[in-house]
Amino acid sequence: MISEKEYKARRERLAKKLSKNSVAVVFSGEFKTRSNDTEYPFRQNSNFYYLSGFTEDNAALLFVKRKKKVQTILFVEKKDEKKELWSGKRVGEIEAKKLFLVDKVCTMNDFSSKLKESLEDKNSLYYDFNLQYNKVKTLKRYSKKIAHYKNIALLVHEMRLIKSKQEIRLIQKAIGITKDAHHSAMALRKNGKYEYELQAEIEYIFKKNGAYSDAYTSIVACGNSANTLHYISNDKPLVDKELILIDAGCEYEGYASDITRSIPVDGKFTSAQKELYNMVLDVQKKIIKMIQPNVKRSDLHKKSEELLCKGMLKLGILEGKYRKLLKKEKHKKYYPHGIGHWMGLDVHDEAPYKDKKGKEIPLKKGMVLTIEPGIYIDKDDKTVPKKYRGIGIRIEDDILVTSKGYKNLSKKIAKSILEIEFISKT
Ligand code: GLY
Ligand code: MN
Ligand code: MN
């Protein structure tokens, strides 16, 4: 759990960034309708959660800044017995005042009037420009006289780039549960089963361990399906002698994990699969070793392209001169995505990759990113040796940048062929 003190410190850091005579609004998430009277599971707005730790919908945080002094007000839904009978208990304003270290707690019923009042002598209003919520429309109605509109999301995203010790602990916890889920999938007898059965096993382990949601829709892709990068139908049979690409990670107290392993259906890699797998694994290990402060993510990506291109050439997947192949980006046909992304409250964490001047932000202590090289060879690609066709491999770990280098937060998840085959024995 993140302490109340840390949430307060985050709000104070944000408050310092706000301009004088301004108001900032951060809304909670909203339920989304699935179909008549039915809603998708609720997911809190990441920026609101980052600043409050509050998990309810229909809530908002207001920052009112005069000169240097800032008042923080949390708005919560008013308690209502009839409503609570249907959708569960609400914290309410009295309890919220005890739980959260904000200056004031009000109910959402007072939001419009308080907002109007606080906007009277202000010249800037911060809110999240990307939100499509109805509440944002109300906001605009009350703030017609405001001189400057500013995007609060940019300030919060910047803060989210560097993770605190408490955040790293939660990410590590999410990864620990994800480890159990992947190991369970490896150990399961897979012959005669379907991809969705493996998915169910993985997500069962998530929930059983207190991670009530996945961090993204799990990918369980057997054989050629692994060559569809965003394969989520997970509805095909598991076929002996094929590899299954499993990209699955849970969310724990709001924090993501994002892990991919490629494992054999019958517990044994074929020799062609071994050749491809070890090539990708070797690249992944080399890229992880490069991680340290001041290295750029684009350097990591460039190196991964070079190493994979060389590997493809060595295995006869590409033919020709290395320099020319690289220049013509021939490897992109088989490695079309990036080396990785920031990870935190969102699996693709909404933190910036460039600074205000458009310059790439180099790695710094406390950042968390994924490293996920892959190779994808379609079953019908006649230009590639037959033994490699229909194989898709990705190996993905979650890495923390430290003061001197890195810590692989997912290093306990079986990754070498030896480790995977050992666990897979049934
Ligand atoms: N699971 C999404 C990704 O690897 O980026
Ligand atoms: Mn990823
Ligand atoms: Mn992934």
Side-chain angles (χ1 to χ4, degrees):
M1 240 174 77
I2 305 278
S3 66
E4 267 320 299
K5 244 170 96 184
E6 179 159 328
Y7 285 119
K8 184 164 186 272
R10 290 177 188 175
R11 288 191 293 270
E12 284 169 356
R13 261 195 295 143
L14 177 66
K16 279 207 183 96
K17 293 170 190 258
L18 302 175
S19 54
K20 273 185 220 158
N21 291 320
S22 67
V23 170
V25 187
V26 185
F27 286 116
S28 72
E30 283 182 345
F31 273 96
K32 288 191 181 67
T33 302
R34 176 175 153 174
S35 72
N36 190 29
D37 295 340
T38 318
E39 284 143 346
Y40 285 108
F42 178 68
R43 168 61 159 74
Q44 187 56 285
N45 174 283
S46 296
N47 290 338
F48 178 79
Y49 190 67
Y50 181 79
L51 294 167
S52 69
F54 192 38
T55 53
E56 288 185 14
D57 71 309
N58 196 24
L61 254 179
L62 195 67
F63 294 77
V64 185
K65 183 163 181 174
R66 275 165 225 290
K67 284 190 182 132
K68 279 195 174 165
K69 208 165 155 38
V70 180
Q71 186 190 31
T72 52
I73 310 173
L74 176 67
F75 291 85
V76 303
E77 188 168 286
K78 195 176 169 63
K79 282 187 83 64
D80 175 338
E81 257 181 47
K82 271 194 199 138
K83 228 179 143 188
E84 288 181 11
L85 176 67
W86 289 91
S87 13
K89 292 281 178 214
R90 292 284 177 160
V91 164
E93 71 267 35
I94 297 165
E95 273 307 301
K97 183 70 194 119
K98 293 181 205 157
L99 291 171
F100 300 98
L101 295 174
V102 289
D103 298 319
K104 202 169 168 178
V105 177
C106 297
T107 71
M108 276 308 273
N109 299 11
D110 294 331
F111 180 74
S112 301
S113 61
K114 289 271 181 239
L115 175 70
K116 221 166 153 181
E117 187 189 307
S118 54
L119 279 171
E120 255 160 31
D121 49 353
K122 308 295 185 305
N123 48 38
S124 305
L125 172 64
Y126 290 83
Y127 69 97
D128 186 338
F129 287 4
N130 295 327
L131 286 188
Q132 304 293 321
Y133 301 166
N134 282 331
K135 291 193 183 81
V136 175
K137 288 177 198 147
T138 327
L139 199 69
K140 287 184 179 158
R141 214 178 320 130
Y142 288 120
S143 63
K144 290 209 174 93
K145 284 191 226 138
I146 286 288
H148 308 287
Y149 293 100
K150 296 176 181 172
N151 194 354
I152 189 85
L154 300 180
L155 301 181
V156 186
H157 291 164
E158 203 180 306
M159 292 169 66
R160 286 170 52 188
L161 197 47
I162 307 290
K163 273 70 183 176
S164 70
K165 283 201 178 108
Q166 293 185 39
E167 289 185 288
I168 293 161
R169 218 173 292 141
L170 290 179
I171 292 171
Q172 186 74 79
K173 173 81 182 168
I175 293 169
I177 296 170
T178 296
K179 169 187 70 99
D180 290 347
H182 276 265
H183 284 180
S184 206
M186 286 175 197
L188 204 73
R189 252 196 110 73
K190 293 178 262 299
N191 311 49
K193 289 201 167 68
Y194 279 75
E195 292 165 342
Y196 50 74
E197 293 182 80
L198 265 192
Q199 178 182 7
E201 173 71 16
I202 287 165
E203 292 172 8
Y204 166 68
I205 304 285
F206 289 173
K207 283 194 162 63
K208 193 175 144 182
N209 288 290
Y212 304 112
S213 173
D214 47 40
Y216 51 93
T217 305
S218 310
I219 296 172
V220 181
C222 183
N224 196 56
S225 299
N227 296 317
T228 303
L229 294 177
H230 287 167
Y231 178 84
I232 50 168
S233 54
N234 304 342
D235 58 356
K236 307 231 168 21
L238 303 174
V239 179
D240 263 4
K241 303 256 176 292
E242 292 196 334
L243 283 186
I244 319 161
L245 185 154
I246 303 178
D247 185 349
C250 71
E251 181 177 288
Y252 186 81
E253 290 192 13
Y255 285 85
S257 53
D258 185 6
I259 300 294
T260 309
R261 290 293 184 264
S262 304
I263 63 170
V265 173
D266 48 18
K268 282 258 169 243
F269 285 80
T270 65
S271 47
Q273 288 164 352
K274 276 184 185 168
E275 287 161 16
L276 277 181
Y277 189 90
N278 281 331
M279 194 273 276
V280 178
L281 181 59
D282 188 49
V283 173
Q284 202 232 16
K285 284 182 179 167
K286 285 190 170 126
I287 301 300
I288 291 174
K289 280 207 178 113
M290 288 173 67
I291 293 178
Q292 60 177 45
N294 295 321
V295 168
K296 292 198 200 94
R297 199 180 59 114
S298 60
D299 298 333
L300 302 178
H301 180 66
K302 192 165 165 270
K303 191 72 184 171
S304 74
E305 287 192 307
E306 289 169 10
L307 292 172
L308 282 166
C309 186
K310 261 188 204 148
M312 289 173 201
L313 189 59
K314 207 167 157 196
L315 294 177
I317 294 161
L318 292 177
E319 281 177 352
K321 290 255 181 307
Y322 166 67
R323 286 279 148 213
K324 209 166 169 187
L325 292 169
L326 192 67
K327 199 166 162 227
K328 289 193 163 173
E329 300 189 323
K330 292 289 183 194
H331 55 277
K332 280 208 163 145
K333 184 176 174 193
Y334 306 111
Y335 173 48
H337 58 71
I339 188 62
H341 49 82
W342 307 138
M343 193 190 81
L345 278 173
D346 295 305
V347 61
H348 286 196
D349 213 26
E350 278 209 89
Y353 289 96
K354 290 179 179 165
D355 66 16
K356 286 185 193 84
K357 289 180 191 145
K359 252 183 77 184
E360 187 178 353
I361 300 171
L363 299 183
K364 287 193 190 91
K365 181 185 167 195
M367 289 178 173
V368 174
L369 75 161
T370 65
I371 295 296
E372 48 181 305
I375 189 161
Y376 311 91
I377 300 173
D378 191 80
K379 67 176 176 33
D380 297 323
D381 189 337
K382 303 269 180 332
T383 69
V384 170
K386 201 161 174 227
K387 59 180 178 176
Y388 298 137
R389 290 180 208 160
I391 301 177
I393 291 168
R394 178 164 65 254
I395 308 172
E396 176 174 31
D397 280 310
D398 303 335
I399 316 291
L400 168 71
V401 184
T402 61
S403 57
K404 293 209 173 71
Y406 67 90
K407 184 178 175 196
N408 183 349
L409 299 174
S410 46
K411 66 167 181 271
K412 290 194 180 146
I413 307 182
K415 188 163 71 168
S416 70
I417 287 181
L418 211 65
E419 287 169 336
I420 293 173
E421 288 190 344
F422 183 75
I423 296 182
S424 300
K425 265 189 207 156
T426 49

